[in-house]
Amino acid sequence: MSRRPVIAIVTDAIHPYNFGGREIRYHELAKHIAERAEVHVFTMRWWDGPRVYTEGPITFHAISPLMPFYRGPRRSIRQALVFALATLRIVGKRFDVLKVDHMPHLQLFPLWLVASLRRKPLIATWHEVWGPEYWRDYLGPKAGRVGWWVEWLSMRLPDHIIAASEETADRVRSMLGGRTDVTVAPNGIDLKAARNAPPAEDRTDVVVVSRLMQHKRLDMLLESIALLHEKDIPVTCRIIGDGPERDALHEQADQLGLGDAVDFQHDVTDQHAVYSMIKAAQVFAFPSMREGFGIAALEAIACGVPVVTTSAPDNLAQHLVARSQDGVVCEPTPEAFSAALHDALTRGRNSPEEDWLGEYAWEEIAEQVIGTFHR
């Protein structure tokens, strides 16, 4: 193209208004893509003021009202439907590539229609594959079957899929049987920022950075900390993040007698502050039962902090942790996690900087993503 291409990125959550792995991914990638293209991000109305505003080289468009993601412990179907319908507004916008997020699946159907009408490529980032069993556990037999059909159908709509990990790519390919091109472009990290961040002054033994959701199994982490206290090992813990399980976790910590040992931090959104708080701990806990990648675990490894995670089949972060010389992967039970935490705390940090982390520099990931625009 003689002019700069126009890339439309569609995601219902953006950084810094919402804090998580995929938000950081789009925040970083948009900056790198904007060096070569005109970038427009279409999302919910997270900000006050006009519906369209420009920040640096990126233009943000509010195409739907801001709505809560969760109704109780589960994703809100109403939010997903409203945002999906709102994506039809993009049909009148100028773009050369429609780069979209697969979560929460429903928006892929109107976005496929938009891309087809405009005869532009639809490229979707896939963070994780749930499958029929997980949907059944999440929604029950009948609603879970519908959820699985939506996932199965939505996976067949993009012209190209970018998987956030090799394991997710394998799962996507097994579902599609080779009918759609799949590229692996994992989540990344600002290695320089992670390495240069100073430790926070307020130290702790164990830290975790996570959304407070059921499948993150922070309840198991609290049980593990309580088991250590029962053995007269007074471990302290800091939990950084927010989510629908916030009140339940506070209540559980009090019930377990951990009120003074557990420090909840719900309003940390600055990435540099996150790195500093990770470095202020001896061990990073990552008890999740389901992760499509596990960017928080990668950040902890880059900060030089040993990571303890679980061997739960859907926790793909275990593959990252297994690469780390100080990483520990254990069974997903309170007893095993407690023992692994104690072992990691006893051993401390022993290994030099991990050479393989360069694979996850955002510059490298951006090159892989940009390469899909020209296929």
Side-chain angles (χ1 to χ4, degrees):
M1 304 175 186
S2 57
R3 61 174 175 79
R4 282 164 60 87
V6 180
I7 310 300
I9 297 176
V10 184
T11 175
D12 58 0
I14 59 172
H15 183 79
Y17 306 102
N18 206 55
F19 193 79
R22 69 180 179 127
E23 291 86 348
I24 293 173
R25 178 187 178 95
Y26 290 117
H27 177 74
E28 293 292 337
L29 289 179
K31 292 190 296 184
H32 289 285
I33 294 171
E35 295 174 2
R36 306 189 195 179
E38 184 180 328
V39 176
H40 294 259
V41 176
F42 298 88
T43 185
M44 293 195 294
R45 193 167 188 172
W46 290 94
W47 57 88
D48 296 326
R51 288 186 175 274
V52 180
Y53 82 97
T54 299
E55 184 175 315
I58 302 166
T59 301
F60 294 86
H61 303 253
I63 57 173
S64 82
L66 180 62
M67 300 176 64
F69 283 125
Y70 291 91
R71 184 178 181 183
R74 297 185 179 88
R75 278 293 299 247
S76 166
I77 296 176
R78 183 169 179 266
Q79 182 273 336
L81 281 170
V82 169
F83 186 74
L85 291 172
T87 62
L88 290 171
R89 296 178 174 175
I90 301 173
V91 73
K93 305 296 183 180
R94 183 172 63 92
F95 62 88
D96 299 298
V97 175
L98 194 54
K99 171 73 181 65
V100 309
D101 192 80
H102 84 99
M103 297 174 68
H105 298 294
L106 289 177
Q107 74 274 12
L108 283 165
F109 296 90
L111 287 169
W112 172 83
L113 179 61
V114 169
S116 298
L117 290 172
R118 295 293 304 277
R119 297 182 180 180
K120 304 295 184 181
L122 177 65
I123 300 174
T125 297
W126 228 267
H127 303 279
E128 56 188 323
V129 177
W130 278 21
E133 292 184 6
Y134 197 95
W135 277 108
R136 185 165 55 248
D137 293 340
Y138 188 65
L139 294 177
K142 293 183 179 179
R145 188 178 299 113
V146 175
W148 163 235
W149 287 343
V150 170
E151 180 179 28
W152 186 86
L153 288 171
S154 66
M155 203 178 294
R156 284 151 174 78
L157 299 176
D159 298 295
H160 196 102
I161 288 177
I162 299 174
S165 70
E166 288 283 358
E167 294 76 22
T168 295
D170 289 340
R171 294 185 180 192
V172 169
R173 292 184 185 112
S174 68
M175 298 287 186
L176 296 177
R179 60 180 291 167
T180 303
D181 290 334
V182 180
T183 295
V184 178
N187 288 331
I189 188 170
D190 186 337
L191 291 173
K192 183 177 179 180
R195 289 164 177 164
N196 293 340
E201 293 183 4
D202 191 7
R203 301 301 179 104
T204 188
D205 295 317
V206 178
V207 68
V208 58
V209 180
S210 174
R211 283 209 181 98
L212 309 187
M213 300 162 64
Q214 283 185 342
H215 71 270
K216 300 292 188 177
R217 291 310 313 271
L218 298 174
D219 59 327
M220 184 176 74
L221 171 62
L222 292 178
E223 291 178 37
S224 301
I225 298 295
L227 288 174
L228 291 173
H229 278 240
E230 289 176 7
K231 298 175 181 178
D232 293 325
I233 305 172
V235 173
T236 58
C237 177
R238 179 169 295 126
I239 296 176
I240 303 170
D242 207 347
E245 293 297 297
R246 174 176 177 168
D247 293 340
L249 290 169
H250 277 270
E251 183 178 350
Q252 182 188 8
D254 290 337
Q255 290 175 348
L256 292 172
L258 299 176
D260 295 331
V262 179
D263 172 32
F264 288 93
Q265 297 284 335
H266 299 303
D267 57 355
V268 183
T269 58
D270 180 77
Q271 193 61 44
H272 295 278
V274 170
Y275 292 150
S276 291
M277 294 176 83
I278 290 174
K279 286 187 173 183
Q282 296 185 61
V283 173
F284 186 91
F286 206 63
S288 184
M289 297 290 284
R290 194 191 81 236
E291 291 292 331
F293 179 80
I295 192 170
L298 180 67
E299 290 171 343
I301 295 169
C303 287
V305 178
V307 179
V308 175
T309 194
T310 76
S311 59
D314 289 328
N315 175 26
L316 302 187
Q318 64 180 291
H319 302 287
L320 283 172
V321 177
R323 295 186 70 179
S324 173
Q325 298 177 64
D326 283 333
V328 180
V329 180
C330 67
E331 291 295 314
T333 66
E335 295 76 15
F337 206 81
S338 177
L341 286 176
H342 184 241
D343 180 58
L345 286 166
T346 302
R347 287 188 292 109
R349 312 178 194 186
N350 301 310
S351 301
E353 187 176 286
E354 310 274 359
D355 293 336
W356 54 270
L357 286 172
E359 301 171 21
Y360 296 95
W362 281 120
E363 296 82 0
E364 297 293 327
I365 308 305
E367 287 296 324
Q368 297 168 36
V369 171
I370 291 169
T372 66
F373 299 163
H374 307 291
R375 297 192 177 190

